[in-house]
Amino acid sequence: MDTYLAAAATASFITFALHTWVGGPVTAKPLLRSNDMHDVAKYTNYYCWHLVTITLFVMGGSFAWAAVYPDGIELAWVSLLLSTSFLGWNLFLIVWKSQKFMQMPQWILFLGISVLGAVGVMG
């Protein structure tokens, strides 16, 4: 078993859990209660929230599969591409919109996943 890919899987599943059970009540539920947004914008954002939820879970499963079955390394590469893309977009958005790095701390989670995944696929 590849320890780094297993760690990337664990980090992805932890991020999934934080996103679902911490972020959901803080972000998704208030979004649905909003009367200030048009329904199309509101439900599109809610839909995208769940796309991220699904993606995080699949990333964890893909890293886990590749950790156990070396022939599945392509799954780890795809998950690494996703995590580094999410990391890059998060950092770009913070700088572009003049946010503070701790106002949008998701980059920390994706940095961890990306580093662990990169070491795993390169090793």
Side-chain angles (χ1 to χ4, degrees), residues 4-30:
Y4 287 104
L5 292 178
T10 301
S12 296
F13 285 130
I14 289 170
T15 303
F16 160 80
L18 288 170
H19 174 82
T20 302
W21 290 291
V22 176
V26 171
T27 304
K29 289 190 184 215

PDB file of all heavy atoms in Angstrom, residues 4-30:
ATOM      1  N   TYR A   4       1.528   7.509   1.027  1.00  0.00           N
ATOM      2  CA  TYR A   4       1.185   8.887   0.667  1.00  0.00           C
ATOM      3  C   TYR A   4      -0.175   8.970  -0.017  1.00  0.00           C
ATOM      4  O   TYR A   4      -0.948   9.902   0.230  1.00  0.00           O
ATOM      5  CB  TYR A   4       2.278   9.509  -0.202  1.00  0.00           C
ATOM      6  CG  TYR A   4       3.516   9.822   0.591  1.00  0.00           C
ATOM      7  CD1 TYR A   4       4.640   9.009   0.501  1.00  0.00           C
ATOM      8  CD2 TYR A   4       3.559  10.917   1.445  1.00  0.00           C
ATOM      9  CE1 TYR A   4       5.774   9.277   1.238  1.00  0.00           C
ATOM     10  CE2 TYR A   4       4.688  11.194   2.191  1.00  0.00           C
ATOM     11  CZ  TYR A   4       5.790  10.383   2.082  1.00  0.00           C
ATOM     12  OH  TYR A   4       6.913  10.652   2.823  1.00  0.00           O
ATOM     13  N   LEU A   5      -0.466   8.010  -0.883  1.00  0.00           N
ATOM     14  CA  LEU A   5      -1.789   8.002  -1.519  1.00  0.00           C
ATOM     15  C   LEU A   5      -2.881   7.702  -0.495  1.00  0.00           C
ATOM     16  O   LEU A   5      -3.972   8.274  -0.557  1.00  0.00           O
ATOM     17  CB  LEU A   5      -1.832   7.012  -2.680  1.00  0.00           C
ATOM     18  CG  LEU A   5      -0.977   7.395  -3.894  1.00  0.00           C
ATOM     19  CD1 LEU A   5      -1.059   6.312  -4.969  1.00  0.00           C
ATOM     20  CD2 LEU A   5      -1.384   8.744  -4.465  1.00  0.00           C
ATOM     21  N   ALA A   6      -2.573   6.825   0.461  1.00  0.00           N
ATOM     22  CA  ALA A   6      -3.533   6.556   1.539  1.00  0.00           C
ATOM     23  C   ALA A   6      -3.753   7.817   2.378  1.00  0.00           C
ATOM     24  O   ALA A   6      -4.888   8.121   2.778  1.00  0.00           O
ATOM     25  CB  ALA A   6      -3.039   5.402   2.416  1.00  0.00           C
ATOM     26  N   ALA A   7      -2.694   8.564   2.618  1.00  0.00           N
ATOM     27  CA  ALA A   7      -2.818   9.821   3.370  1.00  0.00           C
ATOM     28  C   ALA A   7      -3.608  10.854   2.567  1.00  0.00           C
ATOM     29  O   ALA A   7      -4.418  11.600   3.130  1.00  0.00           O
ATOM     30  CB  ALA A   7      -1.439  10.358   3.732  1.00  0.00           C
ATOM     31  N   ALA A   8      -3.393  10.906   1.240  1.00  0.00           N
ATOM     32  CA  ALA A   8      -4.169  11.817   0.385  1.00  0.00           C
ATOM     33  C   ALA A   8      -5.645  11.423   0.407  1.00  0.00           C
ATOM     34  O   ALA A   8      -6.529  12.296   0.421  1.00  0.00           O
ATOM     35  CB  ALA A   8      -3.624  11.800  -1.044  1.00  0.00           C
ATOM     36  N   ALA A   9      -5.917  10.118   0.428  1.00  0.00           N
ATOM     37  CA  ALA A   9      -7.303   9.646   0.526  1.00  0.00           C
ATOM     38  C   ALA A   9      -7.918  10.088   1.851  1.00  0.00           C
ATOM     39  O   ALA A   9      -9.039  10.603   1.886  1.00  0.00           O
ATOM     40  CB  ALA A   9      -7.350   8.120   0.392  1.00  0.00           C
ATOM     41  N   THR A  10      -7.175   9.899   2.928  1.00  0.00           N
ATOM     42  CA  THR A  10      -7.663  10.294   4.252  1.00  0.00           C
ATOM     43  C   THR A  10      -7.924  11.798   4.304  1.00  0.00           C
ATOM     44  O   THR A  10      -8.973  12.237   4.795  1.00  0.00           O
ATOM     45  CB  THR A  10      -6.647   9.884   5.333  1.00  0.00           C
ATOM     46  OG1 THR A  10      -6.460   8.461   5.271  1.00  0.00           O
ATOM     47  CG2 THR A  10      -7.119  10.284   6.721  1.00  0.00           C
ATOM     48  N   ALA A  11      -6.993  12.584   3.774  1.00  0.00           N
ATOM     49  CA  ALA A  11      -7.167  14.042   3.750  1.00  0.00           C
ATOM     50  C   ALA A  11      -8.384  14.433   2.911  1.00  0.00           C
ATOM     51  O   ALA A  11      -9.122  15.360   3.268  1.00  0.00           O
ATOM     52  CB  ALA A  11      -5.903  14.717   3.214  1.00  0.00           C
ATOM     53  N   SER A  12      -8.612  13.731   1.808  1.00  0.00           N
ATOM     54  CA  SER A  12      -9.782  14.011   0.964  1.00  0.00           C
ATOM     55  C   SER A  12     -11.072  13.673   1.701  1.00  0.00           C
ATOM     56  O   SER A  12     -12.043  14.445   1.647  1.00  0.00           O
ATOM     57  CB  SER A  12      -9.708  13.206  -0.338  1.00  0.00           C
ATOM     58  OG  SER A  12      -8.601  13.585  -1.110  1.00  0.00           O
ATOM     59  N   PHE A  13     -11.094  12.543   2.394  1.00  0.00           N
ATOM     60  CA  PHE A  13     -12.294  12.162   3.145  1.00  0.00           C
ATOM     61  C   PHE A  13     -12.539  13.102   4.333  1.00  0.00           C
ATOM     62  O   PHE A  13     -13.687  13.412   4.656  1.00  0.00           O
ATOM     63  CB  PHE A  13     -12.220  10.712   3.613  1.00  0.00           C
ATOM     64  CG  PHE A  13     -12.459   9.700   2.518  1.00  0.00           C
ATOM     65  CD1 PHE A  13     -11.582   8.646   2.320  1.00  0.00           C
ATOM     66  CD2 PHE A  13     -13.563   9.797   1.686  1.00  0.00           C
ATOM     67  CE1 PHE A  13     -11.804   7.706   1.322  1.00  0.00           C
ATOM     68  CE2 PHE A  13     -13.805   8.863   0.676  1.00  0.00           C
ATOM     69  CZ  PHE A  13     -12.914   7.818   0.493  1.00  0.00           C
ATOM     70  N   ILE A  14     -11.474  13.571   4.970  1.00  0.00           N
ATOM     71  CA  ILE A  14     -11.630  14.550   6.057  1.00  0.00           C
ATOM     72  C   ILE A  14     -12.193  15.852   5.496  1.00  0.00           C
ATOM     73  O   ILE A  14     -13.095  16.458   6.091  1.00  0.00           O
ATOM     74  CB  ILE A  14     -10.291  14.779   6.792  1.00  0.00           C
ATOM     75  CG1 ILE A  14      -9.934  13.541   7.620  1.00  0.00           C
ATOM     76  CG2 ILE A  14     -10.340  16.039   7.660  1.00  0.00           C
ATOM     77  CD1 ILE A  14      -8.527  13.552   8.192  1.00  0.00           C
ATOM     78  N   THR A  15     -11.682  16.266   4.346  1.00  0.00           N
ATOM     79  CA  THR A  15     -12.189  17.485   3.704  1.00  0.00           C
ATOM     80  C   THR A  15     -13.649  17.306   3.316  1.00  0.00           C
ATOM     81  O   THR A  15     -14.468  18.214   3.497  1.00  0.00           O
ATOM     82  CB  THR A  15     -11.325  17.853   2.488  1.00  0.00           C
ATOM     83  OG1 THR A  15      -9.963  18.004   2.924  1.00  0.00           O
ATOM     84  CG2 THR A  15     -11.789  19.137   1.834  1.00  0.00           C
ATOM     85  N   PHE A  16     -13.996  16.126   2.802  1.00  0.00           N
ATOM     86  CA  PHE A  16     -15.392  15.807   2.489  1.00  0.00           C
ATOM     87  C   PHE A  16     -16.260  15.947   3.739  1.00  0.00           C
ATOM     88  O   PHE A  16     -17.330  16.559   3.704  1.00  0.00           O
ATOM     89  CB  PHE A  16     -15.484  14.385   1.922  1.00  0.00           C
ATOM     90  CG  PHE A  16     -16.852  13.771   2.010  1.00  0.00           C
ATOM     91  CD1 PHE A  16     -17.831  14.088   1.081  1.00  0.00           C
ATOM     92  CD2 PHE A  16     -17.170  12.887   3.037  1.00  0.00           C
ATOM     93  CE1 PHE A  16     -19.108  13.531   1.171  1.00  0.00           C
ATOM     94  CE2 PHE A  16     -18.428  12.323   3.129  1.00  0.00           C
ATOM     95  CZ  PHE A  16     -19.401  12.648   2.195  1.00  0.00           C
ATOM     96  N   ALA A  17     -15.791  15.393   4.853  1.00  0.00           N
ATOM     97  CA  ALA A  17     -16.564  15.436   6.098  1.00  0.00           C
ATOM     98  C   ALA A  17     -16.716  16.872   6.609  1.00  0.00           C
ATOM     99  O   ALA A  17     -17.812  17.278   7.010  1.00  0.00           O
ATOM    100  CB  ALA A  17     -15.896  14.560   7.165  1.00  0.00           C
ATOM    101  N   LEU A  18     -15.631  17.641   6.571  1.00  0.00           N
ATOM    102  CA  LEU A  18     -15.712  19.051   6.983  1.00  0.00           C
ATOM    103  C   LEU A  18     -16.669  19.830   6.083  1.00  0.00           C
ATOM    104  O   LEU A  18     -17.494  20.614   6.569  1.00  0.00           O
ATOM    105  CB  LEU A  18     -14.325  19.690   6.950  1.00  0.00           C
ATOM    106  CG  LEU A  18     -13.349  19.252   8.031  1.00  0.00           C
ATOM    107  CD1 LEU A  18     -11.940  19.770   7.731  1.00  0.00           C
ATOM    108  CD2 LEU A  18     -13.819  19.734   9.391  1.00  0.00           C
ATOM    109  N   HIS A  19     -16.556  19.605   4.792  1.00  0.00           N
ATOM    110  CA  HIS A  19     -17.423  20.279   3.823  1.00  0.00           C
ATOM    111  C   HIS A  19     -18.889  19.945   4.086  1.00  0.00           C
ATOM    112  O   HIS A  19     -19.743  20.833   4.093  1.00  0.00           O
ATOM    113  CB  HIS A  19     -17.029  19.852   2.402  1.00  0.00           C
ATOM    114  CG  HIS A  19     -17.921  20.351   1.335  1.00  0.00           C
ATOM    115  ND1 HIS A  19     -17.817  21.624   0.808  1.00  0.00           N
ATOM    116  CD2 HIS A  19     -18.944  19.758   0.666  1.00  0.00           C
ATOM    117  CE1 HIS A  19     -18.732  21.799  -0.120  1.00  0.00           C
ATOM    118  NE2 HIS A  19     -19.428  20.678  -0.232  1.00  0.00           N
ATOM    119  N   THR A  20     -19.153  18.684   4.347  1.00  0.00           N
ATOM    120  CA  THR A  20     -20.530  18.222   4.504  1.00  0.00           C
ATOM    121  C   THR A  20     -21.129  18.626   5.845  1.00  0.00           C
ATOM    122  O   THR A  20     -22.201  19.231   5.890  1.00  0.00           O
ATOM    123  CB  THR A  20     -20.583  16.683   4.357  1.00  0.00           C
ATOM    124  OG1 THR A  20     -20.044  16.342   3.064  1.00  0.00           O
ATOM    125  CG2 THR A  20     -22.002  16.170   4.466  1.00  0.00           C
ATOM    126  N   TRP A  21     -20.432  18.286   6.938  1.00  0.00           N
ATOM    127  CA  TRP A  21     -21.049  18.431   8.256  1.00  0.00           C
ATOM    128  C   TRP A  21     -20.705  19.726   8.987  1.00  0.00           C
ATOM    129  O   TRP A  21     -21.370  20.071   9.958  1.00  0.00           O
ATOM    130  CB  TRP A  21     -20.746  17.205   9.105  1.00  0.00           C
ATOM    131  CG  TRP A  21     -21.500  16.028   8.572  1.00  0.00           C
ATOM    132  CD1 TRP A  21     -22.859  15.844   8.616  1.00  0.00           C
ATOM    133  CD2 TRP A  21     -20.975  14.903   7.875  1.00  0.00           C
ATOM    134  NE1 TRP A  21     -23.194  14.672   7.979  1.00  0.00           N
ATOM    135  CE2 TRP A  21     -22.055  14.061   7.513  1.00  0.00           C
ATOM    136  CE3 TRP A  21     -19.694  14.514   7.501  1.00  0.00           C
ATOM    137  CZ2 TRP A  21     -21.893  12.881   6.824  1.00  0.00           C
ATOM    138  CZ3 TRP A  21     -19.532  13.324   6.814  1.00  0.00           C
ATOM    139  CH2 TRP A  21     -20.629  12.530   6.487  1.00  0.00           C
ATOM    140  N   VAL A  22     -19.683  20.430   8.540  1.00  0.00           N
ATOM    141  CA  VAL A  22     -19.382  21.739   9.119  1.00  0.00           C
ATOM    142  C   VAL A  22     -19.821  22.834   8.143  1.00  0.00           C
ATOM    143  O   VAL A  22     -20.554  23.744   8.506  1.00  0.00           O
ATOM    144  CB  VAL A  22     -17.885  21.880   9.473  1.00  0.00           C
ATOM    145  CG1 VAL A  22     -17.577  23.278   9.986  1.00  0.00           C
ATOM    146  CG2 VAL A  22     -17.467  20.819  10.496  1.00  0.00           C
ATOM    147  N   GLY A  23     -19.377  22.724   6.903  1.00  0.00           N
ATOM    148  CA  GLY A  23     -19.712  23.737   5.907  1.00  0.00           C
ATOM    149  C   GLY A  23     -21.173  23.751   5.516  1.00  0.00           C
ATOM    150  O   GLY A  23     -21.738  24.817   5.238  1.00  0.00           O
ATOM    151  N   GLY A  24     -21.801  22.595   5.496  1.00  0.00           N
ATOM    152  CA  GLY A  24     -23.213  22.521   5.113  1.00  0.00           C
ATOM    153  C   GLY A  24     -24.110  23.409   5.963  1.00  0.00           C
ATOM    154  O   GLY A  24     -24.818  24.269   5.432  1.00  0.00           O
ATOM    155  N   PRO A  25     -24.074  23.248   7.279  1.00  0.00           N
ATOM    156  CA  PRO A  25     -24.914  24.105   8.125  1.00  0.00           C
ATOM    157  C   PRO A  25     -24.528  25.588   8.079  1.00  0.00           C
ATOM    158  O   PRO A  25     -25.378  26.456   8.228  1.00  0.00           O
ATOM    159  CB  PRO A  25     -24.701  23.546   9.533  1.00  0.00           C
ATOM    160  CG  PRO A  25     -24.258  22.137   9.333  1.00  0.00           C
ATOM    161  CD  PRO A  25     -23.471  22.152   8.052  1.00  0.00           C
ATOM    162  N   VAL A  26     -23.245  25.872   7.856  1.00  0.00           N
ATOM    163  CA  VAL A  26     -22.780  27.258   7.856  1.00  0.00           C
ATOM    164  C   VAL A  26     -23.029  27.943   6.514  1.00  0.00           C
ATOM    165  O   VAL A  26     -23.291  29.138   6.467  1.00  0.00           O
ATOM    166  CB  VAL A  26     -21.265  27.303   8.206  1.00  0.00           C
ATOM    167  CG1 VAL A  26     -20.681  28.686   8.002  1.00  0.00           C
ATOM    168  CG2 VAL A  26     -21.043  26.835   9.619  1.00  0.00           C
ATOM    169  N   THR A  27     -22.970  27.181   5.423  1.00  0.00           N
ATOM    170  CA  THR A  27     -23.047  27.779   4.087  1.00  0.00           C
ATOM    171  C   THR A  27     -24.285  27.355   3.311  1.00  0.00           C
ATOM    172  O   THR A  27     -25.033  28.203   2.820  1.00  0.00           O
ATOM    173  CB  THR A  27     -21.784  27.414   3.275  1.00  0.00           C
ATOM    174  OG1 THR A  27     -20.626  27.830   4.002  1.00  0.00           O
ATOM    175  CG2 THR A  27     -21.790  28.095   1.924  1.00  0.00           C
ATOM    176  N   ALA A  28     -24.487  26.065   3.173  1.00  0.00           N
ATOM    177  CA  ALA A  28     -25.562  25.585   2.301  1.00  0.00           C
ATOM    178  C   ALA A  28     -26.957  25.865   2.880  1.00  0.00           C
ATOM    179  O   ALA A  28     -27.853  26.307   2.146  1.00  0.00           O
ATOM    180  CB  ALA A  28     -25.391  24.088   2.030  1.00  0.00           C
ATOM    181  N   LYS A  29     -27.139  25.626   4.162  1.00  0.00           N
ATOM    182  CA  LYS A  29     -28.470  25.854   4.755  1.00  0.00           C
ATOM    183  C   LYS A  29     -28.882  27.321   4.721  1.00  0.00           C
ATOM    184  O   LYS A  29     -30.001  27.634   4.330  1.00  0.00           O
ATOM    185  CB  LYS A  29     -28.536  25.263   6.158  1.00  0.00           C
ATOM    186  CG  LYS A  29     -28.549  23.751   6.109  1.00  0.00           C
ATOM    187  CD  LYS A  29     -28.862  23.127   7.431  1.00  0.00           C
ATOM    188  CE  LYS A  29     -28.733  21.634   7.235  1.00  0.00           C
ATOM    189  NZ  LYS A  29     -29.630  20.847   7.966  1.00  0.00           N
ATOM    190  N   PRO A  30     -27.994  28.260   5.107  1.00  0.00           N
ATOM    191  CA  PRO A  30     -28.383  29.670   4.990  1.00  0.00           C
ATOM    192  C   PRO A  30     -28.640  30.088   3.536  1.00  0.00           C
ATOM    193  O   PRO A  30     -29.506  30.925   3.278  1.00  0.00           O
ATOM    194  CB  PRO A  30     -27.188  30.431   5.566  1.00  0.00           C
ATOM    195  CG  PRO A  30     -26.512  29.458   6.459  1.00  0.00           C
ATOM    196  CD  PRO A  30     -26.734  28.112   5.830  1.00  0.00           C
TER     197      PRO A  30
END
